[in-house]
Amino acid sequence: MSPYDSATSAGSSSGSSSASSSTKPADIDGLLAGAGYKVRSSDLCHVAQRLERLETAMVNSPVELSQLASSDTVLYNPSDIASWVDSLLSEFNHTPSLPSDLPDLPDVVVGPGINPTVINEADATWTDHDAPQQQQQQNVQSLTIPPNQLTVVTAMEEDSGIRLVHMLMTCADSVQRGEFSLAGSLIEDMQSLLRRVNTTCGIGKVAGYFIDALSRRIFTPQANGLFGGSASGSASAFENELLYHHFYEACPYLKFAHFTANQAILEAFDGHDSVHVIDFNLMHGLQWPALIQALALRPGGPPLLRLTGIGPPSPDGRDSLREIGLRLAELARSVNVRFAFRGVAAQRLEDVKPWMLQVNSKEAVAVNSIMQLHRLLGSDPNRSPPIGIVLGWIRQLNPKIMTVIEHEANHNQPGFMDRFTESLYYYSTMFDSLEACTLQPEKALAEIYIQREICNVVSCEGSARVERHEPLAKWRSRLGQAGFRPLHLGSNAFKQASMLLTLFSAEGYCVEENEGCLTLGWHSRPLISASAWQAVPDANSPLGIVTL
Amino acid sequence: MAGSNEVNLNESKMVVPLNTWVLISNFKLAYNLLRRPDGTFNRHLAEFLDRKVPANAKPVDGVFSFDVVLDRSTSLYIRIYRQAHGEEPQLNIADLEKPVPAEVVPVIVFFHGGSFAHSSANSAIYDALCRRLVGICKAVVVSVNYRRAPENRYPCAYDDGWAALKWVSSRSWLQSKDSKVHIYLAGDSSGGNIVHHVALRAVESDIEVLGNILLNPMFGGLERTDSETRLDGKYFVTTRDRDWYWRAYLPEGEDRDHQACNPFGPKGKSLEGIKFPKSLVVVASLDLTQDWQLAYAKGLEKAGQVVNLLYLEQATIGFYLLPNNNHFYTVMDEINNFVCSDC
């Protein structure tokens, strides 16, 4: 039972934590928490002293201040005021005349090219209990991602649009209550109403997809794997890859994911001569050319790069994994990066065993999961969800970094109505963002890609329902409990992501920083989250953890 | 004796609670990093540092919120905050724009502060403030995500405010039982300045604004006033940073006597004879720009306008950001009376 389950009213907006008593955070100032900052009440004095010291440093070194203001100094997790101020303080040269009664600065250096894991030692200064415990407390306190975040992006002028939504809700409600004949007749009403609404954009288009998903649930449950069976119906791996590729082209979500993950991986691999990337879903390997090229340009030369790509088996004797691997090898050769590829064919991620990855002890490992972990949350009543096992063996591998990109949505709630409402909002926003895209057929195929997700969330159950998206706060809790700690993504990654977006995408996409993670959203609604993790050192680990 | 290199931090620490001091000092120092001497602004770092919260249609403490995009090309959106009235815990899209239930419901169009350059409608501090306003005034609050300087100078913020006002006044679901939307404009710092100028635009239209609420509004002028000299650098704010923000907002080449900055100054115009809304002007005695704010209130008074001046002794900027001081409660009460006197 995760602590998040009980946090139904996730604290008041004024910041006092009113989550369940079993997870009351240690002494965090509630009002500052409401403003987005984490400071312990008992630390306020200390933080205030630090702020004073920083101000003095700024005033006494105006040259450094302007350098700092215009430099590319990397900053991390502004919510943690204490460590943020300390990292700034370390940027200034200290004169001996500063008062000596102030406590010593922690051993932290911030600067470009520095391994971000060093910074996290500073984070540990105020969390002096078990890391997982503290993660738990942090998540309950996390007011930045309350449940059921909702953005109505399209102003609903049309009465028909509003009626459609009303009917969708009523229909979903009757489905939840098992009143299938009522639900069925509502489907018919909605389909006729759809004919009077503009379905090429806006609420009409999204409603159309949800009506379709509901009708599948009501009329053809078995065919859609409602009671088990194949998750993607008759969709082939080839189709999935094609749709994915077009989704990649039509909007920036996957590009953001790849870019942010690669940046973090590059930094994690700094100083290592032998590196191994494990990609949980290779697809067409779109993420990797950029990393290969970045490694090629690395000061001091590229490492030996191994890439292990996991993907579904090809049905017709083709070895599509190997084909992708060959193309990537070709690219690597052209830029003089020593490269080796291995494909691991598995229908499901949980079927992969760590020995298949052939990790050797001398290499730095990066595990890359783009929208894969949520698929492991499946609730087969006969077994516990595979997420625990998979996170367990990832931890055993002791990767230098695990990059996790997930939908920023709560589509795994037990109640159907909750899931339905959440996903209606979420996908409305996503479709709205897609409207700016003019590329065809990319846009049309991207819509089908999204539609498949909608169908899975709405019309599937049990092991067939794989799109079990959970928000960042839940992942933080889960990963923390599984023995991982966050590697914070910094202001450099933020800036580059923002800049790329303004260059390549329509107005309206927006990157936000969320306690060391980055989210990409449309206007004010985050839709995708990117985070990076590392295994917490475990004295009992058979691999003998080495940190740095 | 207070040279520019001397840092007088002790005084501000004595007049605000410690967590407020940490909050505002943190902003102050972060903002120092963002303003470049050449007048440019480190927007990426600003957005990285700003703590944001998404809208939440699930009521928290009886208040829910949702966003509406008014203009995609400028990313102009508004965040609407409403009271939940015993609905089920799960609100659906159709409920968001349900007609307001009571006889009279004030609708407060709110402009967040940030000296025209900082913050957004989804900044955590302003999201929290708007939620409190809903609870206290039993109002609908519409927070406007206006374009900011220096990328978008005068009059962009006013244009966006005006667009939001027009939108609000045309929503049938925001009408009270008399089929009219009861609109108040409110804002702090630059938001207060925007209130004045948007109200001015409304005067020439058929949109009625029932009242203006200005919290520590941002006004200025070429002249250096006594309060600016006396309080420079003592309570989180310096005249240098004020000057920087005006340079960033005003059209290039204009000075601080521009009517956006100094509405009753040498280039300003009198509001005599104009049907201007009644105003509540809140001035903090430790705000270095208070002489300009007091001059504003005086200017309204001289023009025969209704103005209620609330002068708070020993209050600094930002006192209303956390509900941990008497000034906060005093001001919230005043605002409540101000918008409810028409109820």
Side-chain angles (χ1 to χ4, degrees):
Chain A
M1 156 95 168
S2 90
Y4 203 84
D5 293 347
S6 55
T8 47
S9 65
S12 73
S13 59
S14 62
S16 57
S17 75
S18 54
S20 76
S21 56
S22 62
T23 49
K24 184 156 172 44
D27 181 41
I28 303 278
D29 185 285
L31 293 182
L32 287 180
Y37 296 102
K38 298 243 170 87
V39 187
R40 285 205 288 212
S41 304
S42 49
D43 268 348
L44 275 174
C45 254
H46 174 81
V47 171
Q49 279 178 339
R50 282 280 193 262
L51 283 164
E52 280 179 310
R53 195 163 166 180
L54 178 58
E55 169 143 20
T56 307
M58 281 178 162
V59 165
N60 290 336
S61 326
V63 170
E64 299 217 33
L65 173 61
S66 63
Q67 276 175 354
L68 190 64
S70 57
S71 78
D72 293 319
T73 304
V74 184
L75 299 168
Y76 297 91
N77 193 5
S79 283
D80 183 354
I81 299 186
S83 71
W84 186 79
V85 171
D86 284 343
S87 67
L88 280 174
L89 266 171
S90 66
E91 286 291 313
F92 288 90
N93 297 319
H94 301 287
T95 64
S97 60
L98 279 176
S100 57
D101 57 334
L102 289 170
D104 286 335
L105 292 172
D107 227 9
V108 168
V109 176
V110 178
I114 301 293
N115 191 318
T117 56
V118 177
I119 307 307
N120 295 299
E121 295 305 312
D123 288 345
T125 58
W126 69 269
T127 59
D128 48 12
H129 305 292
D130 297 341
Q133 185 70 22
Q134 201 64 26
Q135 292 285 359
Q136 219 173 338
Q137 291 164 354
Q138 279 181 28
N139 295 322
V140 167
Q141 194 57 29
S142 171
L143 293 160
T144 53
I145 308 284
N148 293 75
Q149 35 179 313
L150 297 162
T151 300
V152 172
V153 181
T154 51
M156 286 191 292
E157 309 286 326
E158 280 193 65
D159 285 338
S160 307
I162 298 180
R163 274 178 59 205
L164 258 180
V165 174
H166 262 301
M167 289 167 76
L168 270 170
M169 292 299 175
T170 313
C171 184
D173 185 57
S174 47
V175 165
Q176 172 157 282
R177 289 194 275 152
E179 293 168 19
F180 292 109
S181 55
L182 171 59
S185 69
L186 279 167
I187 297 276
E188 284 168 22
D189 291 344
M190 286 193 283
Q191 278 164 344
S192 63
L193 184 53
L194 257 188
R195 286 179 219 118
R196 301 204 305 269
V197 167
N198 181 0
T199 54
T200 59
C201 65
I203 192 69
K205 172 179 266 183
V206 178
Y209 289 127
F210 276 85
I211 292 167
D212 176 71
L214 276 172
S215 77
R216 282 172 199 253
R217 188 184 181 97
I218 295 163
F219 296 123
T220 52
Q222 276 98 336
N224 289 284
L226 187 62
F227 303 114
S230 155
S232 47
S234 56
S236 67
F238 174 76
E239 269 177 37
N240 287 336
E241 282 169 22
L242 187 74
L243 294 176
Y244 185 90
H245 198 140
H246 285 86
F247 180 67
Y248 173 90
E249 294 293 348
C251 46
Y253 302 107
L254 289 177
K255 293 179 197 121
F256 165 79
H258 294 174
F259 175 80
T260 308
N262 283 346
Q263 177 78 18
I265 293 171
L266 193 63
E267 284 178 34
F269 281 168
D270 192 38
H272 293 274
D273 292 324
S274 177
V275 303
H276 184 176
V277 175
I278 299 168
D279 187 358
F280 275 5
N281 188 27
L282 186 68
M283 286 293 182
H284 291 163
L286 295 168
Q287 182 171 351
W288 307 118
L291 183 70
I292 292 170
Q293 283 161 339
L295 286 171
L297 293 172
R298 194 170 83 154
L304 162 64
L305 169 66
R306 288 180 58 208
L307 173 65
T308 299
I310 298 171
S314 329
D316 48 0
R318 281 171 62 228
D319 187 347
S320 55
L321 286 174
R322 188 165 167 275
E323 281 171 25
I324 310 283
L326 282 172
R327 271 191 268 148
L328 290 172
E330 188 54 51
L331 169 67
R333 186 176 28 249
S334 73
V335 292
N336 293 320
V337 174
R338 291 167 297 146
F339 179 82
F341 176 84
R342 179 184 189 81
V344 173
Q347 191 62 258
R348 303 171 312 174
L349 192 51
E350 54 253 51
D351 296 333
V352 174
K353 303 283 175 278
W355 59 261
M356 299 173 187
L357 308 173
Q358 304 212 331
V359 171
N360 75 54
S361 55
K362 297 221 172 32
E363 57 194 11
V365 174
V367 172
N368 183 74
S369 166
I370 312 272
M371 328 247 252
Q372 297 305 301
L373 291 187
H374 63 257
R375 305 172 79 90
L376 301 171
L377 298 175
S379 65
D380 181 335
N382 300 320
R383 33 195 279 258
S384 58
I387 183 79
I389 298 172
V390 173
L391 288 181
W393 63 248
I394 296 175
R395 190 173 177 219
Q396 295 269 293
L397 291 179
N398 189 29
K400 263 261 146 307
I401 187 168
M402 173 173 65
T403 47
V404 175
I405 280 76
E406 284 289 328
H407 301 69
E408 185 54 15
N410 203 357
H411 295 155
N412 196 26
Q413 298 165 82
F416 175 71
M417 198 57 194
D418 287 335
R419 288 204 314 270
F420 185 84
T421 312
E422 268 286 310
S423 57
L424 184 57
Y425 274 102
Y426 181 86
Y427 289 106
S428 294
T429 308
M430 187 166 268
F431 268 104
D432 197 58
S433 77
L434 207 51
E435 247 154 72
C437 171
T438 50
L439 295 171
Q440 291 289 12
E442 282 82 352
K443 180 174 173 177
L445 291 171
E447 288 180 2
I448 298 177
Y449 174 87
I450 300 172
Q451 185 206 13
R452 294 231 175 139
E453 279 188 11
I454 294 172
C455 268
N456 193 271
V457 175
V458 172
S459 64
C460 292
E461 285 300 341
S463 56
R465 179 157 62 90
V466 293
E467 300 296 346
R468 294 180 177 263
H469 313 143
E470 289 190 344
L472 194 48
K474 275 197 166 177
W475 284 110
R476 282 203 180 101
S477 169
R478 212 182 267 290
L479 291 170
Q481 287 179 309
F484 292 88
R485 65 178 177 200
L487 291 175
H488 290 156
L489 303 172
S491 54
N492 53 347
F494 179 94
K495 177 175 175 178
Q496 288 169 26
S498 294
M499 280 168 52
L500 268 182
L501 282 169
T502 46
L503 280 175
F504 295 119
S505 299
E507 285 276 348
Y509 287 104
C510 155
V511 184
E512 287 179 13
E513 194 281 346
N514 186 320
E515 295 187 58
C517 306
L518 298 186
T519 61
L520 171 63
W522 177 246
H523 290 289
S524 53
R525 163 77 205 249
L527 293 173
I528 299 281
S529 72
S531 58
W533 304 83
Q534 200 183 46
V536 170
D538 176 9
N540 300 323
S541 163
L543 290 182
I545 305 285
V546 174
T547 51
L548 300 174
Chain B
M1 160 175 185
S4 57
N5 278 343
E6 197 170 303
V7 181
N8 299 311
L9 296 164
N10 291 324
E11 301 183 41
S12 58
K13 263 179 138 180
M14 309 225 250
V15 293
V16 295
L18 189 53
N19 52 3
T20 301
W21 191 91
V22 165
L23 181 70
I24 302 183
S25 300
N26 188 52
F27 284 142
K28 179 179 79 176
L29 297 182
Y31 293 178
N32 287 347
L33 293 178
L34 303 174
R35 296 187 302 270
R36 298 201 195 97
D38 64 356
T40 60
F41 188 76
N42 192 339
R43 180 61 64 191
H44 291 299
L45 187 56
E47 292 305 297
F48 176 80
L49 295 175
D50 192 25
R51 307 292 80 204
K52 298 185 192 288
V53 298
N56 189 0
K58 195 161 186 173
V60 175
D61 287 346
V63 180
F64 68 92
S65 64
F66 60 100
D67 294 341
V68 180
V69 175
L70 299 189
D71 185 342
R72 282 158 201 284
S73 60
T74 58
S75 286
L76 173 62
Y77 75 87
I78 52 176
R79 177 164 290 182
I80 303 179
Y81 301 83
R82 296 186 63 172
Q83 275 187 300
H85 292 282
E87 277 106 18
E88 307 150 24
Q90 181 74 53
L91 275 151
N92 63 60
I93 298 180
D95 285 335
L96 300 178
E97 298 185 358
K98 247 175 27 181
V100 294
E103 189 75 26
V104 176
V105 176
V107 179
I108 302 176
V109 179
F110 179 78
F111 301 99
H112 66 81
S115 308
F116 291 107
H118 298 281
S119 294
S120 305
N122 62 347
S123 293
I125 47 169
Y126 287 112
D127 186 85
L129 178 59
C130 288
R131 285 171 169 275
R132 290 176 189 132
L133 273 174
V134 171
I136 290 166
C137 303
K138 314 284 184 258
V140 173
V141 175
V142 178
S143 183
V144 183
N145 194 54
Y146 58 88
R147 279 169 294 168
R148 296 161 303 184
E151 301 95 318
N152 302 287
R153 292 174 177 269
Y154 164 94
C156 292
Y158 304 156
D159 290 343
D160 290 351
W162 174 236
L165 176 57
K166 281 191 292 187
W167 187 92
V168 165
S169 73
S170 64
R171 296 305 106 186
S172 56
W173 59 275
L174 283 175
Q175 289 170 355
S176 296
K177 290 286 184 288
D178 59 358
S179 302
K180 291 201 270 201
V181 187
H182 288 221
I183 301 177
Y184 297 83
L185 303 180
D188 70 308
S189 165
S190 49
N193 177 290
I194 296 173
V195 165
H196 169 83
H197 290 283
V198 170
L200 212 48
R201 277 201 213 183
V203 161
E204 275 126 44
S205 74
D206 57 2
I207 296 178
E208 188 187 5
V209 173
L210 295 175
N212 289 348
I213 299 160
L214 293 83
L215 279 179
N216 300 4
M218 190 170 158
F219 294 115
L222 256 186
E223 176 197 339
R224 247 346 149 213
T225 62
D226 170 70
S227 63
E228 284 164 307
T229 315
R230 193 167 37 90
L231 296 169
D232 191 4
K234 295 228 169 94
Y235 298 96
F236 310 111
V237 185
T238 64
T239 48
R240 266 186 87 191
D241 71 62
R242 294 296 99 203
D243 291 351
W244 190 98
Y245 291 114
W246 282 120
R247 258 198 313 274
Y249 178 64
L250 296 170
E252 315 234 20
E254 291 284 353
D255 64 30
R256 289 189 303 276
D257 278 340
H258 186 277
Q259 35 98 354
C261 176
N262 197 356
F264 298 133
K267 298 187 202 159
K269 61 173 190 195
S270 163
L271 291 186
E272 214 166 329
I274 296 195
K275 188 172 182 291
F276 199 68
K278 64 175 182 176
S279 298
L280 170 62
V281 182
V282 178
V283 180
S285 79
L286 301 177
D287 182 340
L288 62 81
T289 64
Q290 64 186 269
D291 285 349
W292 294 109
Q293 296 160 345
L294 294 168
Y296 173 77
K298 230 205 170 75
L300 287 176
E301 209 187 353
K302 282 220 298 250
Q305 303 299 341
V306 177
V307 56
N308 177 357
L309 173 65
L310 183 58
Y311 187 81
L312 301 170
E313 294 288 356
Q314 297 295 91
T316 65
I317 55 137
F319 68 85
Y320 46 81
L321 292 178
L322 299 182
N324 58 1
N325 60 88
N326 285 331
H327 299 307
F328 173 89
Y329 292 101
T330 304
V331 168
M332 288 300 142
D333 269 347
E334 281 289 330
I335 294 177
N336 189 21
N337 293 334
F338 190 74
V339 307
C340 285
S341 59
D342 311 305
C343 296

